[in-house]
Amino acid sequence: MSQVEANAAQGRGAVSISGSAAGRDQPQTTRTRRTTFYGTLFRNELLTTFRRWRTIALLAVLAAVPILIGIAIKIETSDGGGVGPGGGGGGGPAFISQITNNGLFLVFTALAATLPFFLPMAIGVVAGDAIAGEANAGTLRYLLVAPAGRTRLLLTKYATTMTFCLVATLVVAVSALTVGAVLFPLGDLTTISGTQISFADGLGRALLIALVVAASLTGVAALGLFVSTLTTSGIAAMATTVGLLITIQILDQIPQLHALQPYFFSHYWLSFADLMRDPVYWDELVKNLGLQALYAAVFGSAAWARFTTKDISS
Amino acid sequence: MDQAPATEPDPHPEGEGDNATEGDNATEGDNATEGDGVIHTRALTKRFRGGQLAVDGLDLTVPAGSVFGFLGPNGSGKTTTIRMLMGLIEPTSGSARVLGHPMPRAARTVLPQVGALIEGPALYGFLSGRDNLLRYDAADPTADPRTRRTRVAAALDRVGLAAAAGKKAKAYSLGMKQRLGLAAALLQPRRLLVLDEPTNGLDPQGMREIRSLVRELASDGTTVFLSSHLLDEIEQVCTHAAVMAQGRLLTQGPVADLAAGARGRLVVTTPDTGDAARVLKEQGASDVVITEDRVTAEPPDRELADVNATLVAAGVRVRGFGIERASLEDAFVALTGEGFDVAG
Ligand SMILES: Nc1ncnc2c1ncn2[C@@H]1O[C@H](COP(=O)(O)OP(=O)(O)OP(=O)(O)O)[C@@H](O)[C@H]1O
Ligand SMILES: [Mg+2]
């Protein structure tokens, strides 16, 4: 506030005064320019994204999923019965029956439950809105005449979407760990292969799994960003991305398409469970990460080619 | 009239010197190429994908240091021209140079020195006015982050928004949004300001403020390129003007020349309108029109004092006699026609 008042006192001359000050600072500006070229816009982009009401709402929904799973299991097992089959995602049952023995398994269950839909949907919303939302609001033209630079803006948007992938995954993991610790006992755990590992080791694997899950979303993020460069309607871009996501998930279930399925971005998603084997079974994990890199490269390039040549007339 | 600079052979063929100036800041040495004007377009053309020819062979030259009014009826291609100048859309053909550099190729060099308001402001409703400006400033890689808060506060103050800086932009009124858009154009000292209808939605005080702001910036040496429909406003602040219609440039030049181009009308105020009209016709005046106690006409090609003497001699009681100078509005209507309907 005091800064504003100080400048109000300076009155009309203020702009030119600060202008000449900027002129004096020129050599230092050049020195720090390399680091600030991407830094300032990226920091501002993160701040802007995470101050959106929509972003907060998505994260709140993601945080609620482990709470609901935890409470459901607690209620179901409080009368002494075991956990029935059918809960959680495809990788779920292996973990879900262990939750009552060890709260840490809620982390794996929650990630397995949110990875097929909730997480990629949240990413689709953020990525789809990235460029199209700015175009829709008209703010894109002012960012570009600032000039943000088209490549720089696109990279910043992608980096922000990836950061959101990581934050969203960590929100699920941390929420699950907290609920797990409150409702269930914690301790050493049994891997899928039947061996025992310490709780600390298990925690390390949980973190690794969260990172792999976040990395699994980079393909959807690139796809969403590409869709976002195609339209000037944020809603259309979000809907298209989420629609593609659901379509791919359905096609991945149709046996006749098994020749194509290894190229669906979601095909190896649940391979993260292999990190809970002893020794870790890397084959599908590597395939998954390779596939995500391929999607990021293909749709990242397509987004770049489109966005750097596009007429901005909104 | 006055299109001479645009029709002269271009002493700076395309591409000359561009590579040398591509990378970093524009060096002062480039002023040589600015002899052609701060904005210089040659046969600039934009045909939209639907086939709409929005800008058609535009040769525009904006002299350095001028306040340049860019006029034209709705849909005549003003905003499209501005978008091409700012590198937002690619011309279909022709070329545009801004501050001596080709656009959109040299956008990184040129745009930090240009403040722009294009087709109204666009804001992040969920951010405060101040945070909106911080974001736009962060988007400019040449803006110094250490002076950012001071510059933002100064820009807010300059458009009279200092007190509302903390308010969310979605709660701003139309005029407040317009002011915030202007503030974004003033975040840094600029060499060129491009303002597309800057007084849209402003209250009378706001309009006056903007006019005095424009004059003040111009006196500091900033070239101001201003599109507006308010012709008296243009007449008050602009040194030069260009008129467009249906994508074509009708004329460009100093404002005084444009207004002088349309002839003034002879106005006689008298209770004896019938006699006055008859005498004026006899004296060679054409297009005589009677409205209440006024008779107006195209002045004849002879000494007006004699015309007046003849009127009096004929017994016409003359209350007032004189030439009403043509306004820019008259010139504009003379150029673009009276029709109200927008050309398709
Ligand atoms: N994105 C677009 N696609 C197709 N046609 C367009 C597009 N933008 C503008 N046009 C057309 O180009 C012509 C010029 O439009 P422009 O916005 O440049 O007019 P203007 O002079 O700024 O008008 P106004 O005074 O109303 O702001 C119009 O006929 C318009 O319909
Ligand atoms: Mg317009």
Side-chain angles (χ1 to χ4, degrees), chain A residues 12 45 134 142 152 311-312, chain B residues 46 120 124 135 139 209:
Chain A
R12 298 204 161 269
E45 181 67 35
E134 302 265 10
Y142 286 109
R152 177 168 167 257
D311 274 359
I312 308 298
Chain B
K46 180 66 187 184
Y124 299 87
R135 175 157 172 79
E209 274 296 303

Side-chain angles (χ1 to χ4, degrees), chain B:
Chain B
M1 67 199 292
D2 270 307
Q3 291 207 0
T7 49
E8 267 170 20
D10 187 358
H12 306 285
E14 272 321 290
E16 180 243 39
D18 294 342
N19 292 337
T21 56
E22 258 288 43
D24 273 309
N25 288 321
T27 48
E28 291 306 310
D30 281 322
N31 278 340
T33 50
E34 260 175 62
D36 281 343
V38 167
I39 296 173
H40 182 68
T41 72
R42 276 169 56 86
L44 192 66
T45 302
K46 180 66 187 184
R47 187 184 287 279
F48 280 107
R49 249 184 301 165
Q52 171 86 42
L53 192 59
V55 176
D56 185 7
L58 185 69
D59 291 310
L60 191 69
T61 304
V62 176
S66 63
V67 179
F68 196 99
F70 195 39
L71 317 178
N74 291 135
S76 54
K78 303 181 296 295
T79 302
T80 306
T81 305
I82 290 173
R83 283 181 187 276
M84 283 192 280
L85 293 174
M86 297 294 99
L88 290 173
I89 61 182
E90 189 94 26
T92 309
S93 63
S95 66
R97 298 178 79 86
V98 177
L99 298 173
H101 299 272
M103 285 299 283
R105 209 144 53 84
R108 263 179 62 189
T109 314
V110 172
L111 293 179
Q113 309 174 67
V114 179
L117 185 67
I118 307 160
E119 216 163 42
L123 307 168
Y124 299 87
F126 62 101
L127 295 181
S128 69
R130 184 186 295 112
D131 288 338
N132 268 281
L133 294 187
L134 288 173
R135 175 157 172 79
Y136 285 135
D137 198 64
D140 179 356
T142 67
D144 187 349
R146 285 163 303 170
T147 59
R148 181 159 295 148
R149 293 212 150 255
T150 346
R151 283 182 294 108
V152 164
L156 284 165
D157 180 50
R158 200 158 193 186
V159 298
L161 276 183
K167 206 168 167 175
K168 292 246 187 298
K170 64 166 171 264
Y172 275 16
S173 71
L174 175 63
M176 287 164 83
K177 286 179 183 157
Q178 189 76 10
R179 286 166 189 249
L180 195 62
L182 274 165
L186 299 175
L187 282 169
Q188 297 223 60
R190 313 282 194 187
R191 287 172 67 193
L192 171 65
L193 273 182
V194 174
L195 306 176
D196 194 3
E197 300 183 33
T199 54
N200 196 10
L202 290 188
D203 52 26
Q205 288 88 340
M207 289 197 195
R208 277 175 59 134
E209 274 296 303
I210 298 310
R211 276 201 297 271
S212 73
L213 188 67
V214 164
R215 285 201 194 95
E216 186 188 331
L217 288 163
S219 71
D220 292 348
T222 305
T223 307
V224 184
F225 185 75
L226 181 83
S227 102
S228 175
H229 294 295
L230 302 175
L231 293 169
D232 48 345
E233 175 179 296
I234 295 268
E235 204 162 17
Q236 281 181 48
V237 296
C238 292
T239 58
H240 293 68
V243 180
M244 285 192 75
Q246 297 182 42
R248 296 185 148 273
L249 186 68
L250 296 180
T251 181
Q252 63 180 328
V255 168
D257 294 3
L258 290 186
R263 297 181 65 196
R265 281 179 74 83
L266 176 63
V267 180
V268 179
T269 318
T270 168
D272 313 318
T273 47
D275 290 340
R278 180 179 48 80
V279 174
L280 285 176
K281 275 185 196 145
E282 285 166 11
Q283 296 291 309
S286 55
D287 189 21
V288 181
V289 179
I290 303 176
T291 44
E292 290 176 31
D293 64 343
R294 276 159 54 100
V295 182
T296 66
E298 290 293 318
D301 289 328
R302 46 181 299 195
E303 177 54 54
L304 289 177
D306 295 342
V307 176
N308 193 14
T310 319
L311 276 172
V312 176
V316 176
R317 294 166 293 167
V318 176
R319 272 196 211 121
F321 183 95
I323 293 286
E324 212 161 66
R325 207 175 66 79
S327 67
L328 189 59
E329 182 167 327
D330 298 323
F332 180 81
V333 172
L335 281 164
T336 57
E338 292 276 0
F340 168 71
D341 291 337
V342 173

